[in-house]
Amino acid sequence: MSDPSDYTPPEVWTWEPGNGGRFANINRPTAGATHERELPVGKHPFQLYSQGTPNGQKVTILFEELLEAGHAGAEYDAWLIEIGKGDQFGSGFVALNPNSKIPALLDRSGPEPVRLFESGAILMHLAETFGAFLPAGGAARAETLSWLFWQMGSAPFLGGGFGHFYAYAPVKIRYAIDRYAMEAKRQLDVLDRRLADNEYLAGSDYTIADMAVWPWYGALAKGWIYGDAGRFLSTHEYRHVNRWADQLFARPAVRRGRMVNRTSGPLDEQLHERHAASDFETRTQDKLDAGA
């Protein structure tokens, strides 16, 4: 492969399929479906189509927290969309989310089905539907939404920026890694300063802001994503982020939510599909493999 420092952009860019990188087989410069495939539908009011990436975990954590809090109407079916295999380009998924990204949700709890895509929109919709984990108004609501949207704007620099160039790019480009490592550490410092004086991101109450930020930055702090990125970024230095990350991971609903639609890590922490609370005890991948 040529030295990336030798690259001069052409006058007009053209796509070269399979141009390298871990996700080259699913990346393309156009939208729309690539194949016909209808989505499965279960019996519960909410149908979630996702994978257990940080973006997917946000929504499954909220569902599990709602159920833990006694909101029986929050029962859901979670169907696995394997993005590495291109499931997100099936016709049924594209009809639900024209942007072909997980997670996507079909809310059938009302008189007419409602489709939702983008994790922030899904979190807000569910929190408002059940009146939970999002203050109704005032400064507390503003703080929650500010940190929720901070995550939406910041995480692409962590994932698509640092994570991609550090862990997934076919060549190591020092300029790109240095640029995004600096930004990732700046973001961790933003969180650490906030959490030094607040138990949770929005203040004293646990909200959807924490559920959105934790799968990205809590996982980074604990060294769970991008290989040895935690060591590379010295995430142990962010004492308050680590306190908060451990505090959330101790919540049973967070542990369960992190398992749903997950296809990596220990088999006993992978629940590829979730259709009932009992699935966490009977249908994790280790048990399914043992019974095959």
Side-chain angles (χ1 to χ4, degrees), residues 160-185:
F162 172 75
H164 178 80
F165 286 106
Y166 183 76
Y168 303 138
V171 293
K172 301 299 183 187
I173 304 171
R174 179 173 180 176
Y175 172 79
I177 293 173
D178 282 352
R179 169 173 167 73
Y180 289 113
M182 176 181 66
E183 176 61 12
K185 287 183 71 66

Side-chain angles (χ1 to χ4, degrees), residues 115-193:
R115 77 169 186 181
L116 293 122
F117 56 93
E118 292 298 326
S119 57
I122 296 172
L123 293 179
M124 286 188 65
H125 175 80
L126 292 174
E128 290 176 339
T129 296
F130 292 97
F133 303 112
L134 175 61
R141 180 182 179 86
E143 197 71 28
T144 301
L145 294 180
S146 292
W147 285 105
L148 174 65
F149 284 96
W150 176 88
Q151 187 277 320
M152 304 300 158
S154 297
F157 291 96
L158 174 58
F162 172 75
H164 178 80
F165 286 106
Y166 183 76
Y168 303 138
V171 293
K172 301 299 183 187
I173 304 171
R174 179 173 180 176
Y175 172 79
I177 293 173
D178 282 352
R179 169 173 167 73
Y180 289 113
M182 176 181 66
E183 176 61 12
K185 287 183 71 66
R186 188 194 69 82
Q187 292 176 3
L188 286 167
D189 194 39
V190 170
L191 292 174
D192 206 57
R193 290 169 185 263

Side-chain angles (χ1 to χ4, degrees), residues 8 17 21 34-35 56 101 121 141 145-146 170 176 200 204 223-224 236 285:
T8 300
T34 61
H35 59 280
K101 303 289 185 182
R141 180 182 179 86
L145 294 180
S146 292
Y200 301 106
S204 59
W224 295 339
H236 66 280
Q285 203 58 31

Side-chain angles (χ1 to χ4, degrees), residues 34-283:
T34 61
H35 59 280
E36 292 294 321
R37 182 183 178 187
E38 292 303 309
L39 293 174
V41 178
K43 66 180 181 180
H44 293 307
F46 296 96
Q47 300 295 302
L48 178 67
Y49 303 91
S50 188
Q51 188 165 354
T53 67
N55 277 336
Q57 289 173 30
K58 302 174 197 176
V59 177
T60 50
I61 287 171
L62 175 54
F63 270 123
E64 293 299 325
E65 289 285 10
L66 288 168
L67 293 168
E68 183 89 3
H71 297 281
E75 272 294 348
Y76 69 108
D77 291 285
W79 304 94
L80 176 61
I81 298 296
E82 293 193 75
I83 56 179
K85 296 180 178 179
D87 291 351
Q88 69 273 32
F89 301 119
S91 57
F93 190 87
V94 172
L96 191 58
N97 181 0
N99 196 39
S100 293
K101 303 289 185 182
I102 61 95
L105 178 70
L106 185 65
D107 177 355
R108 305 186 305 169
S109 64
E112 296 292 335
V114 176
R115 77 169 186 181
L116 293 122
F117 56 93
E118 292 298 326
S119 57
I122 296 172
L123 293 179
M124 286 188 65
H125 175 80
L126 292 174
E128 290 176 339
T129 296
F130 292 97
F133 303 112
L134 175 61
R141 180 182 179 86
E143 197 71 28
T144 301
L145 294 180
S146 292
W147 285 105
L148 174 65
F149 284 96
W150 176 88
Q151 187 277 320
M152 304 300 158
S154 297
F157 291 96
L158 174 58
F162 172 75
H164 178 80
F165 286 106
Y166 183 76
Y168 303 138
V171 293
K172 301 299 183 187
I173 304 171
R174 179 173 180 176
Y175 172 79
I177 293 173
D178 282 352
R179 169 173 167 73
Y180 289 113
M182 176 181 66
E183 176 61 12
K185 287 183 71 66
R186 188 194 69 82
Q187 292 176 3
L188 286 167
D189 194 39
V190 170
L191 292 174
D192 206 57
R193 290 169 185 263
R194 173 63 181 173
L195 292 166
D197 300 318
N198 296 274
E199 184 175 7
Y200 301 106
L201 286 172
S204 59
D205 293 329
Y206 174 56
T207 69
I208 56 173
D210 300 286
M211 300 177 205
V213 174
W214 183 85
W216 285 101
Y217 297 89
L220 180 66
K222 304 311 294 181
W224 295 339
I225 55 176
Y226 310 133
D228 63 352
R231 180 177 180 181
F232 180 74
L233 296 174
S234 300
T235 59
H236 66 280
E237 296 176 350
Y238 302 96
R239 180 165 58 93
H240 306 293
V241 172
N242 277 278
R243 182 272 304 165
W244 166 84
D246 289 338
Q247 186 174 345
L248 264 63
F249 189 56
R251 299 178 68 92
V254 171
R255 288 178 175 267
R256 292 196 303 271
R258 188 170 180 262
M259 294 169 61
V260 179
N261 297 145
R262 188 175 173 191
T263 58
S264 63
L267 293 179
D268 63 347
E269 296 179 7
Q270 295 183 32
L271 183 62
H272 290 188
E273 291 185 4
R274 187 266 190 216
H275 303 290
S278 60
D279 290 346
F280 292 100
E281 301 298 327
T282 63
R283 297 189 59 81

